[in-house]
Amino acid sequence: KVGMGAHKPRGILCARKLHNKRRLNRWADKNYRKAHTGREFRWDPMGGASHASGICVGKVGFESKQPNSALRKGLRVLLKKNNKKVAVFVPKDGCLNFIDENDSVLISGLGRKGRTVGDIPGIRFKCVNVAGISLKALYLGKKQKKKGQYYLIDQYHKNSICLLYTSDAADEGLGVDLGGRRIIKKK
C-alpha cells in the first residue's frame, strides 16, 4: 500500500469520475469563475460588445483627480440597446462643439478593459462617432456634420425654403404630411 498517493480514482473505468470532479472544482479558481459566469454581460452597459450606439442626453464636465485641475468634457448618453445611461468622454480639444443634444453617437471603451483611465474619475467610455460621421474627421475638418436638408416644394414658392424633418413629431403651423416625414415651412 506504499505509494498509493492522493486517494483519487485511478484505472481504466474512472474517467467519468475524474472529469466530473475536475469540472466542479474548476469553479474554485477565481480566474475561471470570472471568465465563465457571464457577469460581464450584467455589469457592462454595452453587454460585452466593443461599440454601442446611443443618444446624447446632455453635455457635462468632469473634474479631474488630484494633482491635476481641469474640467474634462463629456456627455451623458442613453444607450439604444438597453436604455442605460452612461458617462462618456469626448476626446480632442473642441470636439464637444460638434455634438448637440439628441444627436446619435457611437461609443467605445476608453482603453483599460472596462476600467477608468488617467485622471478622469468614473469614465469608462469615449465618443468616436457623431451622426454617422467620425469625430476625428470632424476635428480635422475633412467632413462636416449634416444640419438639415433643404428642399423646394414646388415652382410657385421658389423663395420659400422648406426643411425636411424625418421624425414623427407633430408639426406646428403650415406643413405637409408625407407618411412619416413632415415638410415644414420655415419663416
Side-chain angles (χ1 to χ4, degrees):
K1 305 264 180 187
V2 178
M4 286 305 286
H7 304 293
K8 58 181 161 184
R10 294 157 191 257
I12 298 173
L13 301 175
C14 67
R16 179 181 291 124
K17 179 84 173 172
L18 287 170
H19 177 75
N20 289 338
K21 192 174 177 184
R22 171 86 337 287
R23 193 186 71 221
L24 292 173
N25 287 335
R26 284 180 90 179
W27 289 96
D29 182 15
K30 187 176 77 172
N31 292 330
Y32 180 85
R33 182 181 291 272
K34 190 175 177 183
H36 292 84
T37 50
R39 64 190 256 283
E40 70 270 8
F41 302 117
R42 287 198 293 273
W43 64 261
D44 185 10
M46 299 207 294
S50 62
H51 293 72
S53 71
I55 296 168
C56 174
V57 178
K59 299 179 183 182
V60 288
F62 306 106
E63 285 189 12
S64 59
K65 292 182 191 170
Q66 287 292 340
N68 297 339
S69 176
L71 269 178
R72 306 287 180 216
K73 305 304 185 284
L75 307 169
R76 297 286 297 164
V77 173
L78 180 71
L79 296 181
K80 291 178 183 174
K81 68 192 300 182
N82 52 19
N83 286 336
K84 289 184 180 178
K85 282 186 184 176
V86 293
V88 178
F89 175 66
V90 179
K92 307 228 184 295
D93 186 25
C95 278
L96 193 67
N97 299 329
F98 296 119
I99 304 169
D100 300 319
E101 284 193 24
N102 300 321
D103 272 349
S104 177
V105 295
L106 184 74
I107 65 171
S108 72
L110 199 46
R112 276 192 65 205
K113 297 181 181 177
R115 298 221 157 103
T116 60
V117 177
D119 65 353
I120 315 166
I123 309 299
R124 300 179 297 170
F125 309 105
K126 67 180 175 185
C127 179
V128 292
N129 208 319
V130 181
I133 301 167
S134 163
L135 206 58
K136 188 172 182 181
L138 290 169
Y139 176 72
L140 295 174
K142 295 188 175 184
K143 289 187 180 179
Q144 287 187 346
K145 199 169 107 175
K146 298 172 195 150
K147 292 287 182 191
Q149 298 163 340
Y150 291 94
Y151 292 94
L152 223 52
I153 286 185
D154 57 17
Q155 66 222 11
Y156 300 112
H157 299 93
K158 288 184 180 175
N159 294 335
S160 65
I161 297 174
C162 294
L163 183 64
L164 178 69
Y165 285 96
T166 55
S167 68
D168 272 334
D171 53 322
E172 298 151 11
L174 296 173
V176 181
D177 188 5
L178 294 177
R181 296 182 169 196
R182 308 203 185 272
I183 295 185
I184 302 171
K185 207 175 227 186
K186 279 188 86 175
K187 293 178 182 175

